[in-house]
Amino acid sequence: MDYLINTHHHGDHTAGNPIFKDFAKHIVAHQNVPKLQKISAEGRGQEAVDAQVYADLTYNDKWSEDVGDETVHLMHFGPAHTGGDSIVYFEKANVAHMGDLMFNRAYPFIDINGGANITNWIQVLRKTVEELESDTIYIYGHGNSEFGVTGNKDDLMLKSEFLEALLEYTQKGINEGKSKEEISKAEVIPGFEVFKAPGWGLTLSRNIEAAYTELTSSDDR
Ligand SMILES: [Zn+2]
């Protein structure tokens, strides 16, 4: 095996590194991934720190490599789900793995402490749709029992519209002088009733809290 790719630093995407390191020539990730992975492990104690294996090949905005008959591209369009997300595009197959940039019709984990940014996440999804083909097949880091783990550009656009509506809803509450607690009581964002809580404590309330943090800490708002 030539390359193992970490789409970002989260444990459910890097905890296999200690096993795969003996089989892969390189572990590849965006340049922010090793440091975010280290900070995250430090928060969980020495045992977690000792268990980490880090990517040994990193890139800034684009990385491409021919692997067998395929050409693999990694793309980073700035902070979104975390501060180090990669989109993995298999050019000949016309298939893109989105890592956790896509939770299909589910409330995503927005890792503010890990460098996430909702405003830019919207742009990352739109830029992906612009850069890739109109019939690219997308694979999602987290699926939906009803809608599955793969799909097309419409799913990415729907997710970007959800994130936009999340920011608008939260900003409206802030403008009305409501507290974070009051705003985050919402049970649904109108128009996005199809979105579900995927488990692991990922609820709409958590999404609104992340949006509130982003909107109230940003200098230009
Ligand atoms: Zn993740």
Side-chain angles (χ1 to χ4, degrees):
M1 179 165 56
D2 287 338
Y3 300 104
L4 173 71
I5 297 163
N6 291 155
T7 58
H8 60 295
H9 73 281
H10 287 153
D12 55 330
H13 300 259
T14 54
N17 289 359
I19 306 295
F20 285 111
K21 76 174 189 329
D22 295 331
F23 303 97
K25 286 182 195 142
H26 292 288
I27 302 176
V28 193
H30 181 259
Q31 62 184 12
N32 292 341
V33 168
K35 64 184 174 213
L36 290 170
Q37 190 181 336
K38 185 156 183 277
I39 292 166
S40 168
E42 282 165 354
R44 284 173 284 128
Q46 192 57 40
E47 205 179 324
V49 172
D50 293 343
Q52 299 307 309
V53 170
Y54 300 99
D56 64 305
L57 199 58
T58 62
Y59 76 99
N60 180 18
D61 56 352
K62 266 183 168 36
W63 179 88
S64 296
E65 192 68 35
D66 290 328
V67 182
D69 296 334
E70 186 54 274
T71 303
V72 181
H73 303 274
L74 297 190
M75 294 170 284
H76 173 77
F77 296 142
H81 168 67
T82 68
D85 307 299
S86 288
I87 294 147
V88 188
Y89 182 51
F90 302 92
E91 185 185 322
K92 303 241 166 64
N94 192 20
V95 169
H97 198 301
M98 296 300 291
D100 285 358
L101 291 167
M102 281 297 293
F103 284 64
N104 193 13
R105 292 169 174 77
Y107 301 127
F109 178 33
I110 303 168
D111 188 0
I112 295 288
N113 293 330
N117 185 283
I118 303 165
T119 306
N120 196 59
W121 195 339
I122 296 164
Q123 300 311 318
V124 168
L125 293 170
R126 292 181 181 171
K127 200 161 179 198
T128 303
V129 168
E130 271 170 36
E131 297 247 329
L132 301 188
E133 305 296 327
S134 62
D135 59 351
T136 297
I137 294 170
Y138 294 95
I139 303 171
Y140 309 137
H142 295 277
N144 173 310
S145 55
E146 194 180 338
F147 293 94
V149 293
T150 63
N152 62 34
K153 63 180 167 60
D154 296 342
D155 299 338
L156 274 70
M157 293 313 290
L158 181 67
K159 175 112 237 165
S160 76
E161 285 157 19
F162 166 76
L163 293 171
E164 198 167 53
L166 173 70
L167 286 178
E168 277 170 18
Y169 182 89
T170 307
Q171 186 63 58
K172 184 165 170 282
I174 293 168
N175 293 348
E176 289 167 357
K178 289 183 185 161
S179 68
K180 182 163 82 171
E181 289 67 30
E182 281 176 284
I183 304 169
S184 65
K185 274 186 194 142
E187 292 188 357
V188 73
I189 298 281
F192 298 90
E193 289 79 3
V194 71
F195 278 62
K196 297 281 183 289
W200 320 291
L202 296 176
T203 59
L204 177 58
S205 298
R206 292 268 308 274
N207 282 185
I208 293 171
E209 285 163 15
Y212 186 96
T213 301
E214 180 172 317
L215 290 167
T216 54
S217 64
S218 156
D219 295 327
D220 55 0
R221 281 176 195 271

mmCIF file of all heavy atoms in Angstrom, residues 77 87 98 102 119-132 138 153 156-165 168 192:
data_model
loop_
_atom_site.group_PDB
_atom_site.id
_atom_site.type_symbol
_atom_site.label_atom_id
_atom_site.label_comp_id
_atom_site.label_asym_id
_atom_site.label_seq_id
_atom_site.Cartn_x
_atom_site.Cartn_y
_atom_site.Cartn_z
ATOM 1 N N PHE A 77 -9.655 23.582 1.173
ATOM 2 C CA PHE A 77 -10.216 24.902 0.844
ATOM 3 C C PHE A 77 -10.407 25.752 2.096
ATOM 4 O O PHE A 77 -11.320 26.559 2.165
ATOM 5 C CB PHE A 77 -11.547 24.745 0.103
ATOM 6 C CG PHE A 77 -11.456 24.066 -1.244
ATOM 7 C CD1 PHE A 77 -12.449 23.187 -1.665
ATOM 8 C CD2 PHE A 77 -10.383 24.310 -2.098
ATOM 9 C CE1 PHE A 77 -12.383 22.565 -2.911
ATOM 10 C CE2 PHE A 77 -10.308 23.697 -3.343
ATOM 11 C CZ PHE A 77 -11.314 22.825 -3.748
ATOM 12 N N ILE A 87 -10.395 17.026 0.942
ATOM 13 C CA ILE A 87 -11.300 16.346 0.022
ATOM 14 C C ILE A 87 -10.394 15.441 -0.803
ATOM 15 O O ILE A 87 -9.346 15.885 -1.287
ATOM 16 C CB ILE A 87 -12.032 17.354 -0.881
ATOM 17 C CG1 ILE A 87 -12.966 18.222 -0.036
ATOM 18 C CG2 ILE A 87 -12.788 16.648 -2.004
ATOM 19 C CD1 ILE A 87 -13.117 19.628 -0.544
ATOM 20 N N MET A 98 -15.416 12.832 0.969
ATOM 21 C CA MET A 98 -15.554 14.139 1.616
ATOM 22 C C MET A 98 -15.116 14.137 3.075
ATOM 23 O O MET A 98 -15.195 15.173 3.735
ATOM 24 C CB MET A 98 -17.012 14.600 1.537
ATOM 25 C CG MET A 98 -17.511 14.842 0.116
ATOM 26 S SD MET A 98 -16.544 16.110 -0.738
ATOM 27 C CE MET A 98 -17.023 17.593 0.156
ATOM 28 N N MET A 102 -18.952 16.113 5.067
ATOM 29 C CA MET A 102 -20.330 15.705 4.821
ATOM 30 C C MET A 102 -20.831 14.721 5.876
ATOM 31 O O MET A 102 -20.310 13.617 6.018
ATOM 32 C CB MET A 102 -20.448 15.065 3.437
ATOM 33 C CG MET A 102 -20.496 16.066 2.295
ATOM 34 S SD MET A 102 -21.947 17.183 2.320
ATOM 35 C CE MET A 102 -23.290 16.024 1.987
ATOM 36 N N THR A 119 -18.818 29.519 8.440
ATOM 37 C CA THR A 119 -18.903 30.454 7.306
ATOM 38 C C THR A 119 -18.083 29.927 6.125
ATOM 39 O O THR A 119 -18.548 29.920 4.978
ATOM 40 C CB THR A 119 -18.374 31.842 7.733
ATOM 41 O OG1 THR A 119 -19.083 32.244 8.909
ATOM 42 C CG2 THR A 119 -18.576 32.877 6.650
ATOM 43 N N ASN A 120 -16.880 29.459 6.412
ATOM 44 C CA ASN A 120 -16.047 28.949 5.313
ATOM 45 C C ASN A 120 -16.471 27.561 4.855
ATOM 46 O O ASN A 120 -16.268 27.202 3.696
ATOM 47 C CB ASN A 120 -14.570 28.954 5.706
ATOM 48 C CG ASN A 120 -13.680 28.824 4.487
ATOM 49 O OD1 ASN A 120 -13.745 29.643 3.591
ATOM 50 N ND2 ASN A 120 -12.900 27.743 4.429
ATOM 51 N N TRP A 121 -17.066 26.781 5.765
ATOM 52 C CA TRP A 121 -17.547 25.435 5.406
ATOM 53 C C TRP A 121 -18.537 25.546 4.248
ATOM 54 O O TRP A 121 -18.537 24.741 3.307
ATOM 55 C CB TRP A 121 -18.196 24.787 6.633
ATOM 56 C CG TRP A 121 -18.431 23.307 6.571
ATOM 57 C CD1 TRP A 121 -18.511 22.514 5.459
ATOM 58 C CD2 TRP A 121 -18.631 22.439 7.696
ATOM 59 N NE1 TRP A 121 -18.759 21.204 5.832
ATOM 60 C CE2 TRP A 121 -18.839 21.133 7.195
ATOM 61 C CE3 TRP A 121 -18.672 22.644 9.078
ATOM 62 C CZ2 TRP A 121 -19.085 20.045 8.025
ATOM 63 C CZ3 TRP A 121 -18.919 21.557 9.910
ATOM 64 C CH2 TRP A 121 -19.111 20.268 9.394
ATOM 65 N N ILE A 122 -19.409 26.564 4.295
ATOM 66 C CA ILE A 122 -20.379 26.800 3.214
ATOM 67 C C ILE A 122 -19.629 26.956 1.886
ATOM 68 O O ILE A 122 -19.986 26.343 0.873
ATOM 69 C CB ILE A 122 -21.214 28.069 3.532
ATOM 70 C CG1 ILE A 122 -22.055 27.847 4.803
ATOM 71 C CG2 ILE A 122 -22.093 28.461 2.343
ATOM 72 C CD1 ILE A 122 -22.616 29.130 5.413
ATOM 73 N N GLN A 123 -18.575 27.757 1.914
ATOM 74 C CA GLN A 123 -17.797 27.997 0.692
ATOM 75 C C GLN A 123 -17.043 26.754 0.236
ATOM 76 O O GLN A 123 -16.903 26.513 -0.966
ATOM 77 C CB GLN A 123 -16.798 29.152 0.914
ATOM 78 C CG GLN A 123 -17.455 30.477 1.288
ATOM 79 C CD GLN A 123 -18.613 30.849 0.369
ATOM 80 O OE1 GLN A 123 -18.533 30.682 -0.844
ATOM 81 N NE2 GLN A 123 -19.716 31.335 0.936
ATOM 82 N N VAL A 124 -16.553 25.969 1.181
ATOM 83 C CA VAL A 124 -15.818 24.737 0.841
ATOM 84 C C VAL A 124 -16.718 23.793 0.043
ATOM 85 O O VAL A 124 -16.306 23.235 -0.983
ATOM 86 C CB VAL A 124 -15.294 24.041 2.124
ATOM 87 C CG1 VAL A 124 -14.794 22.637 1.811
ATOM 88 C CG2 VAL A 124 -14.197 24.868 2.774
ATOM 89 N N LEU A 125 -17.957 23.635 0.490
ATOM 90 C CA LEU A 125 -18.883 22.728 -0.206
ATOM 91 C C LEU A 125 -19.203 23.263 -1.603
ATOM 92 O O LEU A 125 -19.236 22.506 -2.579
ATOM 93 C CB LEU A 125 -20.161 22.550 0.621
ATOM 94 C CG LEU A 125 -19.956 21.795 1.950
ATOM 95 C CD1 LEU A 125 -21.212 21.877 2.807
ATOM 96 C CD2 LEU A 125 -19.587 20.334 1.709
ATOM 97 N N ARG A 126 -19.412 24.590 -1.711
ATOM 98 C CA ARG A 126 -19.747 25.172 -3.022
ATOM 99 C C ARG A 126 -18.561 25.107 -3.970
ATOM 100 O O ARG A 126 -18.731 24.830 -5.160
ATOM 101 C CB ARG A 126 -20.236 26.606 -2.829
ATOM 102 C CG ARG A 126 -21.575 26.569 -2.101
ATOM 103 C CD ARG A 126 -22.217 27.896 -1.859
ATOM 104 N NE ARG A 126 -23.465 27.644 -1.134
ATOM 105 C CZ ARG A 126 -24.240 28.552 -0.594
ATOM 106 N NH1 ARG A 126 -23.902 29.835 -0.687
ATOM 107 N NH2 ARG A 126 -25.346 28.213 0.040
ATOM 108 N N LYS A 127 -17.374 25.335 -3.435
ATOM 109 C CA LYS A 127 -16.169 25.277 -4.269
ATOM 110 C C LYS A 127 -15.932 23.841 -4.764
ATOM 111 O O LYS A 127 -15.512 23.635 -5.907
ATOM 112 C CB LYS A 127 -14.966 25.755 -3.446
ATOM 113 C CG LYS A 127 -13.815 26.176 -4.297
ATOM 114 C CD LYS A 127 -12.828 27.062 -3.576
ATOM 115 C CE LYS A 127 -11.701 27.407 -4.538
ATOM 116 N NZ LYS A 127 -10.518 27.891 -3.941
ATOM 117 N N THR A 128 -16.211 22.866 -3.918
ATOM 118 C CA THR A 128 -16.052 21.462 -4.310
ATOM 119 C C THR A 128 -16.952 21.152 -5.505
ATOM 120 O O THR A 128 -16.510 20.562 -6.492
ATOM 121 C CB THR A 128 -16.401 20.535 -3.130
ATOM 122 O OG1 THR A 128 -15.573 20.870 -2.016
ATOM 123 C CG2 THR A 128 -16.200 19.076 -3.498
ATOM 124 N N VAL A 129 -18.205 21.576 -5.410
ATOM 125 C CA VAL A 129 -19.157 21.326 -6.499
ATOM 126 C C VAL A 129 -18.704 22.032 -7.779
ATOM 127 O O VAL A 129 -18.797 21.471 -8.876
ATOM 128 C CB VAL A 129 -20.580 21.784 -6.083
ATOM 129 C CG1 VAL A 129 -21.522 21.811 -7.273
ATOM 130 C CG2 VAL A 129 -21.122 20.861 -4.983
ATOM 131 N N GLU A 130 -18.147 23.251 -7.642
ATOM 132 C CA GLU A 130 -17.661 23.991 -8.816
ATOM 133 C C GLU A 130 -16.457 23.308 -9.459
ATOM 134 O O GLU A 130 -16.349 23.232 -10.674
ATOM 135 C CB GLU A 130 -17.204 25.398 -8.392
ATOM 136 C CG GLU A 130 -18.294 26.445 -8.415
ATOM 137 C CD GLU A 130 -17.827 27.737 -7.758
ATOM 138 O OE1 GLU A 130 -16.638 28.088 -7.896
ATOM 139 O OE2 GLU A 130 -18.660 28.374 -7.090
ATOM 140 N N GLU A 131 -15.525 22.825 -8.612
ATOM 141 C CA GLU A 131 -14.261 22.290 -9.131
ATOM 142 C C GLU A 131 -14.398 20.892 -9.717
ATOM 143 O O GLU A 131 -13.694 20.544 -10.650
ATOM 144 C CB GLU A 131 -13.206 22.258 -8.014
ATOM 145 C CG GLU A 131 -12.866 23.628 -7.492
ATOM 146 C CD GLU A 131 -11.443 24.057 -7.801
ATOM 147 O OE1 GLU A 131 -10.574 23.179 -7.878
ATOM 148 O OE2 GLU A 131 -11.231 25.276 -7.958
ATOM 149 N N LEU A 132 -15.299 20.076 -9.152
ATOM 150 C CA LEU A 132 -15.404 18.697 -9.624
ATOM 151 C C LEU A 132 -16.479 18.605 -10.708
ATOM 152 O O LEU A 132 -17.060 19.604 -11.117
ATOM 153 C CB LEU A 132 -15.679 17.761 -8.440
ATOM 154 C CG LEU A 132 -14.594 17.795 -7.351
ATOM 155 C CD1 LEU A 132 -14.830 16.707 -6.312
ATOM 156 C CD2 LEU A 132 -13.187 17.654 -7.938
ATOM 157 N N TYR A 138 -20.036 11.266 -4.604
ATOM 158 C CA TYR A 138 -19.433 11.680 -3.340
ATOM 159 C C TYR A 138 -19.652 10.617 -2.265
ATOM 160 O O TYR A 138 -20.736 10.039 -2.170
ATOM 161 C CB TYR A 138 -20.051 13.004 -2.869
ATOM 162 C CG TYR A 138 -19.718 14.166 -3.779
ATOM 163 C CD1 TYR A 138 -20.594 14.543 -4.799
ATOM 164 C CD2 TYR A 138 -18.523 14.863 -3.633
ATOM 165 C CE1 TYR A 138 -20.284 15.602 -5.648
ATOM 166 C CE2 TYR A 138 -18.212 15.925 -4.475
ATOM 167 C CZ TYR A 138 -19.098 16.288 -5.478
ATOM 168 O OH TYR A 138 -18.788 17.334 -6.317
ATOM 169 N N LYS A 153 -23.929 15.997 -6.048
ATOM 170 C CA LYS A 153 -23.679 17.390 -5.681
ATOM 171 C C LYS A 153 -24.873 18.040 -4.981
ATOM 172 O O LYS A 153 -24.687 18.981 -4.206
ATOM 173 C CB LYS A 153 -23.262 18.199 -6.906
ATOM 174 C CG LYS A 153 -24.297 18.316 -8.001
ATOM 175 C CD LYS A 153 -23.718 19.157 -9.141
ATOM 176 C CE LYS A 153 -24.508 19.105 -10.413
ATOM 177 N NZ LYS A 153 -25.872 19.544 -10.415
ATOM 178 N N LEU A 156 -24.423 18.031 -1.330
ATOM 179 C CA LEU A 156 -23.452 19.033 -0.844
ATOM 180 C C LEU A 156 -24.100 20.415 -0.803
ATOM 181 O O LEU A 156 -23.907 21.172 0.153
ATOM 182 C CB LEU A 156 -22.210 19.069 -1.746
ATOM 183 C CG LEU A 156 -21.113 18.047 -1.412
ATOM 184 C CD1 LEU A 156 -21.539 16.632 -1.730
ATOM 185 C CD2 LEU A 156 -19.812 18.382 -2.122
ATOM 186 N N MET A 157 -24.895 20.729 -1.828
ATOM 187 C CA MET A 157 -25.553 22.037 -1.857
ATOM 188 C C MET A 157 -26.572 22.138 -0.721
ATOM 189 O O MET A 157 -26.693 23.186 -0.077
ATOM 190 C CB MET A 157 -26.238 22.257 -3.215
ATOM 191 C CG MET A 157 -25.260 22.394 -4.383
ATOM 192 S SD MET A 157 -23.878 23.533 -4.077
ATOM 193 C CE MET A 157 -24.749 25.104 -4.070
ATOM 194 N N LEU A 158 -27.296 21.035 -0.447
ATOM 195 C CA LEU A 158 -28.266 21.042 0.653
ATOM 196 C C LEU A 158 -27.554 21.293 1.981
ATOM 197 O O LEU A 158 -28.021 22.070 2.821
ATOM 198 C CB LEU A 158 -29.032 19.715 0.688
ATOM 199 C CG LEU A 158 -30.104 19.598 1.780
ATOM 200 C CD1 LEU A 158 -31.254 20.566 1.530
ATOM 201 C CD2 LEU A 158 -30.645 18.168 1.876
ATOM 202 N N LYS A 159 -26.402 20.631 2.157
ATOM 203 C CA LYS A 159 -25.637 20.835 3.400
ATOM 204 C C LYS A 159 -25.184 22.292 3.509
ATOM 205 O O LYS A 159 -25.235 22.886 4.593
ATOM 206 C CB LYS A 159 -24.438 19.902 3.446
ATOM 207 C CG LYS A 159 -23.514 20.105 4.608
ATOM 208 C CD LYS A 159 -23.541 18.941 5.562
ATOM 209 C CE LYS A 159 -23.907 19.322 6.964
ATOM 210 N NZ LYS A 159 -24.272 18.190 7.774
ATOM 211 N N SER A 160 -24.730 22.884 2.410
ATOM 212 C CA SER A 160 -24.274 24.282 2.466
ATOM 213 C C SER A 160 -25.450 25.200 2.789
ATOM 214 O O SER A 160 -25.306 26.161 3.545
ATOM 215 C CB SER A 160 -23.581 24.687 1.161
ATOM 216 O OG SER A 160 -24.509 24.914 0.131
ATOM 217 N N GLU A 161 -26.628 24.875 2.252
ATOM 218 C CA GLU A 161 -27.820 25.686 2.558
ATOM 219 C C GLU A 161 -28.226 25.538 4.020
ATOM 220 O O GLU A 161 -28.665 26.504 4.659
ATOM 221 C CB GLU A 161 -28.985 25.272 1.643
ATOM 222 C CG GLU A 161 -28.823 25.786 0.223
ATOM 223 C CD GLU A 161 -29.617 24.979 -0.803
ATOM 224 O OE1 GLU A 161 -30.563 24.261 -0.407
ATOM 225 O OE2 GLU A 161 -29.268 25.048 -1.998
ATOM 226 N N PHE A 162 -28.072 24.326 4.570
ATOM 227 C CA PHE A 162 -28.363 24.130 5.998
ATOM 228 C C PHE A 162 -27.439 24.994 6.854
ATOM 229 O O PHE A 162 -27.883 25.673 7.785
ATOM 230 C CB PHE A 162 -28.221 22.654 6.390
ATOM 231 C CG PHE A 162 -28.180 22.454 7.886
ATOM 232 C CD1 PHE A 162 -29.336 22.529 8.648
ATOM 233 C CD2 PHE A 162 -26.960 22.245 8.542
ATOM 234 C CE1 PHE A 162 -29.296 22.396 10.032
ATOM 235 C CE2 PHE A 162 -26.908 22.112 9.938
ATOM 236 C CZ PHE A 162 -28.087 22.184 10.679
ATOM 237 N N LEU A 163 -26.143 24.967 6.532
ATOM 238 C CA LEU A 163 -25.175 25.731 7.333
ATOM 239 C C LEU A 163 -25.461 27.232 7.244
ATOM 240 O O LEU A 163 -25.343 27.960 8.228
ATOM 241 C CB LEU A 163 -23.745 25.418 6.884
ATOM 242 C CG LEU A 163 -23.268 23.983 7.155
ATOM 243 C CD1 LEU A 163 -21.925 23.724 6.472
ATOM 244 C CD2 LEU A 163 -23.156 23.699 8.656
ATOM 245 N N GLU A 164 -25.870 27.674 6.059
ATOM 246 C CA GLU A 164 -26.223 29.082 5.865
ATOM 247 C C GLU A 164 -27.448 29.435 6.719
ATOM 248 O O GLU A 164 -27.471 30.463 7.406
ATOM 249 C CB GLU A 164 -26.522 29.297 4.378
ATOM 250 C CG GLU A 164 -26.489 30.729 3.923
ATOM 251 C CD GLU A 164 -26.484 30.801 2.399
ATOM 252 O OE1 GLU A 164 -27.370 30.203 1.757
ATOM 253 O OE2 GLU A 164 -25.576 31.432 1.857
ATOM 254 N N ALA A 165 -28.454 28.557 6.698
ATOM 255 C CA ALA A 165 -29.672 28.789 7.483
ATOM 256 C C ALA A 165 -29.368 28.754 8.982
ATOM 257 O O ALA A 165 -29.955 29.517 9.765
ATOM 258 C CB ALA A 165 -30.724 27.735 7.126
ATOM 259 N N GLU A 168 -27.887 32.095 9.828
ATOM 260 C CA GLU A 168 -28.929 33.140 9.769
ATOM 261 C C GLU A 168 -29.853 33.054 10.973
ATOM 262 O O GLU A 168 -30.192 34.070 11.588
ATOM 263 C CB GLU A 168 -29.755 32.985 8.477
ATOM 264 C CG GLU A 168 -29.107 33.641 7.270
ATOM 265 C CD GLU A 168 -29.798 33.275 5.961
ATOM 266 O OE1 GLU A 168 -30.952 32.795 5.990
ATOM 267 O OE2 GLU A 168 -29.159 33.461 4.907
ATOM 268 N N PHE A 192 -35.423 22.500 6.976
ATOM 269 C CA PHE A 192 -34.426 21.415 7.083
ATOM 270 C C PHE A 192 -34.895 20.329 8.050
ATOM 271 O O PHE A 192 -34.107 19.763 8.803
ATOM 272 C CB PHE A 192 -33.064 21.995 7.480
ATOM 273 C CG PHE A 192 -32.544 22.946 6.437
ATOM 274 C CD1 PHE A 192 -32.839 24.295 6.504
ATOM 275 C CD2 PHE A 192 -31.834 22.476 5.349
ATOM 276 C CE1 PHE A 192 -32.406 25.168 5.507
ATOM 277 C CE2 PHE A 192 -31.394 23.336 4.357
ATOM 278 C CZ PHE A 192 -31.680 24.682 4.431
#
